[in-house]
Each structure stands twice: as C-alpha cells, then as structure tokens.
Amino acid sequence: MSVMEPAQKPHDRLAYALADDMAAVNQMIRARMASEHAPRIPEVTAHLIEAGGKRLRPMLVLAAARLLGYAGPFHVHLAATVEFIHTATLLHDDVVDESARRRGRPTANLLWDNKSSVLVGDYLFARAFQLMVEPGNLRVLDILANASATIAEGEVLQLTAAQDLATTEAIYLQVVRGKTAALFSAATESGAEIAGGTPAQVKALFDYGDALGIAFQIVDDLLDYGGSAVVIGKNTGDDFRERKLTLPVIKAVAKASPEERAFWVRVIEKGQQSDGDLEHALALMTKHGAMEAARADALDWAAIAQTALTALPDHPLRDMLSDLAAYVVERIN
C-alpha cells in the first residue's frame, strides 16, 4: 500500500492507497496491448488508455481484493482484464454512436477509421479473456465472461430502446445494468472472489458495484444536459443529438402534455432536430422536475452502495469506497 499523501477527491485517495498495485496494472496493460505484427493495435489502444481516464474499474478490483486481505498477484491480472473490457466497449461504442470526442480528445474512429476501432476492440476483448484465464479460478472466469456478454446485451437493448418513447424506467434500468453496472459489479465481485471472500462478502461487494454503476450512469446522463465538456469528456448534449432516451428524458416524457409529447416524438423518435431544440428539451425537463428526480434516484443508488459495504470488515479502503459512492453523485452539485 502506498504512503503517499491522500488527495481531496475519493477516487484520488483510492488511487494513492492503491498506487503500487495500479503501477503493476498499468505495466501489465502496456505489455499486453502490444502487438508484434500489427502496430496499429497499440497506437489505437494507447490513444484511449493513456488519455487520462481515472482507471476506476480496475481500482475497484484492487480495492475489493485488498479489503478482504488478498496479497496478490492475480488481482493485477483481473484489474487489467476489466480495463481491457472497458476500453474495448468504448472503442465499439464510439463507432456505434458516431462519436467525435472521448475523454476530451478526438475518438479513435475519427483519427483512424471505424474498421480499426472495431478490430482493435475485438483484439482487446481477446486479450481480456487471455488475462482472466491466467489466475486459474473458474468462478472468476465465470463472473467476467458473464459480464462481457451482459455488456453486449445491454448495448443491443439500448439500440432498440433508445429512440422509442414507450421505453420505461424499468427498461432504462435494464440497459444501465447491462452496459455500465455489469462491469462495475464484475470488478468488485471478481476482486472479492480472488481474495477468497465468504459468500456474504462476495455478494456485498457485488451489490456495491451494481448500485455504484447505476448511480454512475444516471449521473453521466444528467451531466450530458448540465455538465461542461471538460468534466464529461464529450460535447454537452450529445445524448440528445444521438436521440438517446436517458432517465431525465424518460421522466419528462412521462409527464408531457400532448403538445410536449409531439415535440419529443419529433426530436427523439423522428430525429428532426433544429436550432433551439436542446434548450427547449432542457426547459421541459426543468418544468417537470425531471433532472431533480433523476438526481434523487442517483442518490438512492449511492446510498444502496454504501449500505452494502456495512457487511464488510472495518478497513480504510471500505471508507474510501463509501466516500466514492457519495462523490459519484456530488459531481452534479
């Protein structure tokens, strides 16, 4: 464990506490993203992996394992696995969404092309599976393999639900559990499993990761309508322009008058957007309290994450994970 001075933000404090482990993870990532025969693979991968992401998901693996007393070394393999899965999904998502920015930089598909992004994403998925096999733990392999399938399923569900005004909050939650929370919960659950945690401890860390991931995604969806491009790493209003039915929009549509619903049909279902539509959408969400209601949901999920931690041993990392859950929602204050 590092003895560096703690930083102010919870994810920074977690990074300091896990600095030695994260250095090993980063070294493994650099080694495993190399390709002797296809230099474009490390070029594309490095563009995204080294773009300044917080490495939150691999830190969750490390924190879960260390919290339960694991001394290594395979938590490092699992943390690198999770980061590769995450990076692969980002490469694929940017192609699907035709995104131009990721983590404040031009996306790989913009700098290279869609084919490179998809194929390098496939390569990272393959590398992830190589890494997750190395600990020789069948249960861990099951957790991470299932998460990979769930993530893909969530993305496909979002494709069918994103522009359908009949999409409910229950369907939205199903999408979020797939595309975001599945990797959070797999990170914490696999870390607990490799550490030999009891069934109750493994479940507690799964529940924590699941609730944290849901809160995280709700906040990301809110920031798209109220955050700065610097904070969210993409253009404000991208979800609206991509016609994504995120939670604040779903809540506003549920309370819409016939005239307001016609607006939502035009801009979301038909994709007929013009100047001023984003501002009008924001006004409607404000009118119906949709933003505040979504924020309240995020707070509830953060509280569920914190409650799950009470089943775990008293440990500084447990406190940091609790603070992290609170901070995820504080980002929209």
Side-chain angles (χ1 to χ4, degrees):
M1 304 288 279
S2 172
V3 293
M4 297 169 69
E5 185 69 23
Q8 188 65 33
K9 294 178 181 178
H11 62 264
D12 290 330
R13 292 199 296 273
L14 200 59
Y16 279 130
L18 299 167
D20 296 337
D21 282 345
M22 277 306 301
V25 172
N26 289 331
Q27 184 178 1
M28 182 168 286
I29 286 171
R30 284 191 292 271
R32 299 302 181 96
M33 73 184 193
S35 170
E36 180 182 352
H37 304 294
R40 179 161 293 186
I41 288 173
E43 287 175 8
V44 174
T45 305
H47 173 74
L48 188 52
I49 284 184
E50 296 175 6
K54 294 181 178 65
R55 297 280 207 274
L56 180 56
R57 292 155 188 82
M59 282 198 292
L60 290 175
V61 177
L62 302 175
R66 290 296 195 189
L67 174 55
L68 298 183
Y70 185 65
F74 291 120
H75 61 324
V76 173
H77 293 69
L78 301 182
T81 295
V82 165
E83 185 65 7
F84 274 160
I85 292 172
H86 178 54
T87 305
T89 61
L90 296 185
L91 286 168
H92 289 169
D93 287 353
D94 286 342
V95 172
V96 171
D97 296 337
E98 300 179 351
S99 299
R101 292 184 72 194
R102 169 73 67 180
R103 294 173 178 168
R105 305 172 74 188
T107 54
N109 52 299
L110 193 67
L111 290 177
W112 286 275
D113 51 56
N114 286 342
K115 293 177 182 178
S116 294
S117 290
V118 170
L119 294 173
V120 172
D122 291 346
Y123 178 83
L124 292 182
F125 268 122
R127 280 299 202 202
F129 275 88
Q130 288 176 327
L131 276 166
M132 73 176 75
V133 168
E134 289 179 25
N137 185 311
L138 190 58
R139 177 61 189 135
V140 164
L141 181 59
D142 185 49
I143 291 167
L144 292 169
N146 284 338
S148 300
T150 301
I151 291 164
E153 187 178 42
E155 292 290 356
V156 174
L157 176 59
Q158 180 173 256
L159 276 179
T160 59
Q163 295 154 12
D164 182 357
L165 291 187
T167 297
T168 62
E169 290 190 28
I171 294 173
Y172 168 84
L173 184 60
Q174 189 177 352
V175 169
V176 168
R177 272 213 159 97
K179 72 170 193 168
T180 302
L183 195 53
F184 277 74
S185 59
T188 49
E189 187 182 12
S190 62
E193 191 68 44
I194 202 70
T198 67
Q201 290 171 336
V202 173
K203 184 180 186 305
L205 280 160
F206 169 87
D207 290 343
Y208 169 82
D210 177 63
L212 180 71
I214 294 170
F216 184 92
Q217 186 60 56
I218 292 173
V219 169
D220 260 18
D221 292 345
L222 282 166
L223 285 172
D224 189 75
Y225 287 100
S228 69
V230 173
V231 171
I232 61 178
K234 60 179 182 177
N235 296 315
T236 306
D238 273 355
D239 285 349
F240 178 78
R241 284 182 283 273
E242 292 165 12
R243 302 157 60 198
K244 289 183 179 177
L245 262 179
T246 56
L247 188 60
V249 176
I250 291 170
K251 287 181 179 293
V253 169
K255 294 184 177 182
S257 67
E259 181 183 355
E260 292 167 356
R261 186 172 181 85
F263 166 79
W264 291 118
V265 168
R266 175 173 65 81
V267 298
I268 299 296
E269 287 195 345
K270 295 181 179 179
Q272 299 170 358
Q273 298 183 7
S274 55
D275 291 344
D277 283 344
L278 175 59
E279 291 73 18
H280 186 56
L282 282 164
L284 292 179
M285 287 186 278
T286 301
K287 171 186 175 182
H288 293 297
M291 306 285 277
E292 278 303 309
R295 181 178 180 275
D297 286 357
L299 283 167
D300 288 344
W301 283 108
I304 290 169
Q306 290 175 311
T307 299
L309 294 173
T310 60
L312 300 168
D314 187 17
H315 193 287
L317 284 170
R318 188 185 74 172
D319 297 336
M320 291 179 203
L321 290 175
S322 182
D323 291 344
L324 178 65
Y327 175 72
V328 159
V329 186
E330 288 170 6
R331 293 185 299 155
I332 51 175
N333 285 347

